[in-house]
Amino acid sequence: MHEMSICESLIQVIEEQAKTKKFNRVKTVFIEVGPFAGIEIDALKFCFDIVCRNTLIESAKLEVLELPGKGWCFECQQEVNISDRFDPCPICNGFSVQSRGGDELRIKELEVY
Ligand SMILES: [Zn+2]
């Protein structure tokens, strides 16, 4: 389950920040996840609860903000919203859509004590 290793690296990042920004406890972790990141949000939350035991983010809440999918349609010459990497263009139904980003996973904000 790769959600487990994602959680472990999230915690590493947060622990680094705790050292530089000098906080000891985290209340809420806000993360942004792209629609093409291939992450199961439920699995991520499940792993987060396990991995954060006995760390400074123990009992912290994980808030996941799902980013919309974006692509560029070469036919319409504009940015369109897509929910899957291989979706057709919602305007012209063509398949000349190139997905843009969408596989990001980053910490947006930390609410600390
Ligand atoms: Zn189009």
Side-chain angles (χ1 to χ4, degrees):
M1 196 168 6
H2 77 146
E3 280 82 3
M4 194 61 99
S5 55
I6 290 168
C7 286
E8 280 166 357
S9 45
L10 276 179
I11 287 168
Q12 273 177 14
V13 173
I14 295 166
E15 282 178 340
E16 285 298 313
Q17 290 204 11
K19 274 182 215 154
T20 49
K21 293 181 182 166
K22 309 217 182 302
F23 57 83
N24 300 313
R25 294 282 311 280
V26 178
K27 202 171 168 186
T28 318
V29 180
F30 295 91
I31 60 167
E32 285 181 328
V33 180
F36 317 133
I39 292 165
E40 286 282 343
I41 307 290
D42 287 343
L44 192 72
K45 286 186 171 168
F46 178 77
C47 295
F48 184 83
D49 284 343
I50 297 169
V51 175
C52 69
R53 269 177 211 157
N54 302 316
T55 71
L56 78 168
I57 54 169
E58 177 157 27
S59 75
K61 234 175 96 191
L62 182 68
E63 287 286 345
V64 182
L65 311 160
E66 290 178 77
L67 298 170
K70 296 262 183 222
W72 180 265
C73 178
F74 290 100
E75 295 297 326
C76 306
Q77 290 288 307
Q78 61 171 289
E79 197 174 67
V80 293
N81 291 324
I82 49 174
S83 54
D84 189 85
R85 204 185 278 274
F86 303 109
D87 269 1
C89 169
I91 301 163
C92 69
N93 283 314
F95 279 92
S96 42
V97 179
Q98 193 177 60
S99 60
R100 285 188 162 172
D103 50 6
E104 53 272 269
L105 186 148
R106 55 172 172 250
I107 297 171
K108 186 167 185 277
E109 206 184 318
L110 290 175
E111 201 182 349
V112 299
Y113 287 107

